[in-house]
Amino acid sequence: MNYKTKDLKTLQDTLISKMKEESNEDSFDILFANDSFSLKAIDSKKAIFVTDSSSSATFINQSNYPLKIKNILDNLTADDLEVEIMSSDDFLKLSQNDHKKQNLDKKVFPNCSLIQTYTFDNFVVGSSNKQAYLASLQSVDYPAKYNPIFIYSKSGLGKTHLLYAIGNRYKEKYPDKNIQYITTNIFVDTIYNHFRNDQNIEIESIKNYFYGVDLLLIDDIQFLADKKSIQMIFFDIFNILVSTGKQIVITSDRSPIELKGLEDRLVTRFSGGLSLNMTPPDKKTLREILNLKIQTHGYKLDDFDEEALDYLAMHHSKNVRELEGALTTLLFSMATLKPTGNISLEFVQEVFAEENKIIERKGAVSINSIIDDVASYYSLTSSQLRSKVRTSQIALARQIAMYLSRKILNMPYQTIGREFQKDHSTVVTNVSKIEERVEKDNSFKKTINELTKRVSKQ
Ligand code: ADP
Ligand code: MG
């Protein structure tokens, strides 16, 4: 039979009250008080008890208590049990040694292992992720100097990449140490499975397993929200690791204080080390990431026009994973359509034409929506803005639309020019004309602010 935590407590209480009936020794209440003697785990073969000190474990083991305990327990459970009594320190050591010997890693979390191709070498560093990068390096070079290290960002910005990089570097540096990378979802599922099967002993052994881990990398901790019982188990694991100087690195899609549905004591612990935020990369970093990924796929940068790559990066600037996805789409189109010569801006635009239409339909800001909005603000039509007509009202609206496309979408000048049948340098001049006027003319500045809000759909 298997037992849940609450069953263990009931069993322990019944056992102790039965023992008390038979005992008249003065020391009984001290030895078997609730917090100094507890049933840690039991299955059909063995029951493990833990005492708060090694002297009381020795004392009990030298007395006839173990036999009494066995008799009562055998009666209660209808099993033939081996009874083991040890100090909590020995219990901890034993479980750590156990786990060093047998590679429980595979058994406990079979689907969680480090992916070796994500390293610090292929993580591009920019102002948006520099602090998280440096802290990650520190977690390997000076384990537990900051504990835990808590890295948070929106999705697709390199959190998992950093965790793998930490794990891979740590493995290289300390080959004998135990590393556990785990996603919070797998952690939760594993524990739930054991709850469901009433396998209390298994939960104890999972906890003990973590006590043997030297570096814990736990991904997407936000999924611990609203799962109280799992949070309690994680809290124990967390405390043991931190108090024994083991490094923990946690990632999340939001900061500790923004994590709703998490117990306060966990939030406090998470904030107790170093919390770092990563934001979307700036343009230069994005391009470096894109360049690196192109080369990783075995392509040469020379085969692409700069503008084509700028366009790709700019249209997926909020999420590196999406940028990678777009690159895969582009490389696939190149392989199937076999364009001649360099990959041009036009080719890339064509590949993503459908996707752009979908984005536009969803109401995202695009150069088309900017032209529409500015035109309607000035009671003009979009085609007037796109035309070569140069009346002052149309020319001004056109310049503003160019300026906003540049400011809001960060579009290349040449792409903007194409929409208005103008060359690169005309766009540059027009954008700077508006910039200058904004600086000097306060009421014009108000108009631009108002328009910015409108076209950004705020
Ligand atoms: P998250 O865990 O934050 O959702 P990931 O770590 O899964 O994001 O990153 C998504 C993809 O983007 C991965 O393929 C990763 O290699 C890549 N990536 C993100 N940031 C960088 C970076 N700074 N340098 C190189 N690749 C990056
Ligand atoms: Mg991730």
Side-chain angles (χ1 to χ4, degrees):
M1 158 157 187
N2 293 306
Y3 300 89
K4 290 184 178 177
T5 310
K6 90 173 176 334
D7 297 334
L8 284 188
K9 183 79 178 74
T10 317
L11 203 57
Q12 173 180 327
D13 289 347
T14 319
L15 168 74
I16 299 216
S17 67
K18 284 201 183 297
M19 282 165 69
K20 199 173 162 68
E21 284 167 19
E22 296 171 15
S23 167
N24 45 20
E25 285 176 40
D26 295 341
S27 55
F28 186 89
D29 285 338
I30 300 170
L31 283 175
F32 297 104
N34 236 333
D35 47 0
S36 41
F37 181 84
S38 59
L39 176 56
K40 203 69 185 168
I42 180 169
D43 60 15
S44 57
K45 294 199 181 72
K46 192 173 185 173
I48 301 175
F49 291 89
V50 166
T51 62
D52 60 345
S53 72
S54 59
S55 57
S56 57
T58 310
F59 183 84
I60 295 172
N61 277 320
Q62 285 170 353
S63 70
N64 61 353
Y65 280 123
L67 189 62
K68 284 185 185 164
I69 292 172
K70 177 180 162 50
N71 288 338
I72 296 172
L73 273 188
D74 281 356
N75 256 330
L76 289 171
T77 62
D79 285 324
D80 178 18
L81 291 165
E82 180 193 340
V83 169
E84 198 166 337
I85 297 159
M86 64 181 89
S87 71
S88 51
D89 285 350
D90 284 345
F91 183 67
L92 196 63
K93 275 187 217 141
L94 184 78
S95 48
Q96 288 182 354
N97 287 339
D98 266 6
H99 300 302
K100 288 237 163 69
K101 272 182 256 141
Q102 42 172 304
N103 191 1
L104 259 184
D105 189 345
K106 300 271 174 314
K107 242 169 51 189
V108 182
F109 302 108
N111 298 321
C112 275
S113 50
L114 294 172
I115 299 182
Q116 285 168 0
T117 46
Y118 292 95
T119 62
F120 283 113
D121 289 341
N122 59 24
F123 186 83
V124 178
V125 185
S127 56
S128 61
N129 57 27
K130 190 166 185 181
Q131 282 193 309
Y133 168 83
L134 290 175
S136 302
L137 278 177
Q138 294 259 319
S139 73
V140 184
D141 295 341
Y142 306 99
K145 181 174 172 192
Y146 305 104
N147 220 359
I149 292 177
F150 191 101
I151 299 173
Y152 64 99
S153 80
K154 297 248 162 62
S155 168
L157 296 180
K159 297 182 294 294
T160 302
H161 187 139
L162 275 180
L163 286 188
Y164 287 149
I166 293 170
N168 287 323
R169 183 181 168 99
Y170 192 92
K171 202 163 163 183
E172 210 177 277
K173 203 163 171 178
Y174 317 102
D176 296 332
K177 300 248 178 180
N178 293 328
I179 305 165
Q180 180 65 58
Y181 163 84
I182 189 165
T183 66
T184 303
N185 275 333
I186 292 193
F187 177 73
V188 169
D189 285 352
T190 308
I191 308 252
Y192 272 150
N193 277 336
H194 291 304
F195 273 152
R196 219 166 286 138
N197 302 333
D198 282 0
Q199 289 170 327
N200 176 271
I201 199 153
E202 288 293 335
I203 290 178
E204 277 307 312
S205 91
I206 290 175
K207 264 200 214 172
N208 295 336
Y209 165 72
F210 279 101
Y211 303 157
V213 164
D214 299 298
L215 170 68
L216 175 63
L217 306 166
I218 182 141
D219 211 354
D220 289 321
I221 201 81
Q222 70 272 9
F223 294 122
L224 216 55
D226 299 324
K227 301 182 177 99
K228 264 225 150 95
S229 48
I230 311 253
Q231 287 178 26
M232 276 163 58
I233 294 170
F234 185 74
F235 186 71
D236 288 347
I237 293 170
F238 182 95
N239 283 337
I240 289 280
L241 287 179
V242 170
S243 68
T244 51
K246 311 295 181 55
Q247 178 75 58
I248 302 180
V249 187
I250 302 172
T251 71
S252 164
D253 71 350
R254 65 203 78 177
S255 73
I257 44 166
E258 287 166 320
L259 281 167
K260 300 256 156 30
L262 212 67
E263 279 188 55
D264 287 349
R265 55 184 190 157
L266 268 179
V267 173
T268 312
R269 291 293 194 289
F270 290 169
S271 320
L274 193 57
S275 295
L276 300 163
N277 182 217
M278 292 199 288
T279 50
D282 55 29
K283 192 182 160 209
K284 184 170 157 279
T285 315
L286 263 182
R287 273 302 310 273
E288 277 177 43
I289 296 174
L290 185 57
N291 291 357
L292 177 82
K293 305 279 172 182
I294 288 173
Q295 288 161 321
T296 312
H297 278 95
Y299 287 79
K300 286 205 294 289
L301 290 179
D302 285 352
D303 297 338
F304 298 80
D305 285 350
E306 278 289 304
E307 290 237 303
L309 297 184
D310 276 345
Y311 180 89
L312 197 63
M314 224 86 79
H315 278 74
H316 301 88
S317 59
K318 296 277 183 317
N319 184 320
V320 181
R321 188 181 295 113
E322 281 177 15
L323 178 62
E324 281 187 6
L327 175 64
T328 310
T329 307
L330 177 64
L331 298 180
F332 177 77
S333 305
M334 284 162 57
T336 47
L337 301 173
K338 300 195 177 19
T340 48
N342 266 13
I343 298 306
S344 64
L345 176 62
E346 285 72 19
F347 182 78
V348 177
Q349 282 175 327
E350 224 163 274
V351 168
F352 293 100
E354 263 316 296
E355 195 176 300
N356 286 343
K357 272 189 214 140
I358 294 168
I359 293 171
E360 274 166 31
R361 275 203 292 279
K362 279 187 185 159
V365 184
S366 65
I367 188 155
N368 287 335
S369 72
I370 290 179
I371 294 172
D372 290 346
D373 290 342
V374 175
S376 83
Y377 184 83
Y378 284 107
S379 306
L380 300 167
T381 63
S382 311
S383 46
Q384 282 174 308
L385 255 64
R386 291 176 198 275
S387 73
K388 288 188 180 276
V389 180
R390 298 178 65 163
T391 63
S392 63
Q393 180 75 336
I394 295 177
L396 178 67
R398 189 180 294 133
Q399 285 169 1
I400 292 174
M402 289 180 187
Y403 166 87
L404 292 175
S405 303
R406 179 71 191 168
K407 286 282 166 268
I408 295 170
L409 301 177
N410 212 354
M411 263 191 166
Y413 290 115
Q414 194 171 336
T415 317
I416 300 173
R418 197 166 298 115
E419 294 289 334
F420 298 96
Q421 309 174 61
K422 297 276 193 273
D423 63 16
H424 175 272
S425 64
T426 310
V427 181
V428 175
T429 316
N430 283 340
V431 169
S432 53
K433 265 189 204 158
I434 301 292
E435 269 168 351
E436 277 164 28
R437 197 168 156 193
V438 167
E439 284 297 312
K440 288 188 204 133
D441 180 344
N442 247 338
S443 78
F444 184 69
K445 188 175 175 178
K446 274 190 195 137
T447 308
I448 294 294
N449 285 346
E450 150 90 39
L451 265 167
T452 306
K453 272 195 191 153
R454 229 183 236 225
V455 302
S456 317
K457 308 186 190 303
Q458 285 171 358

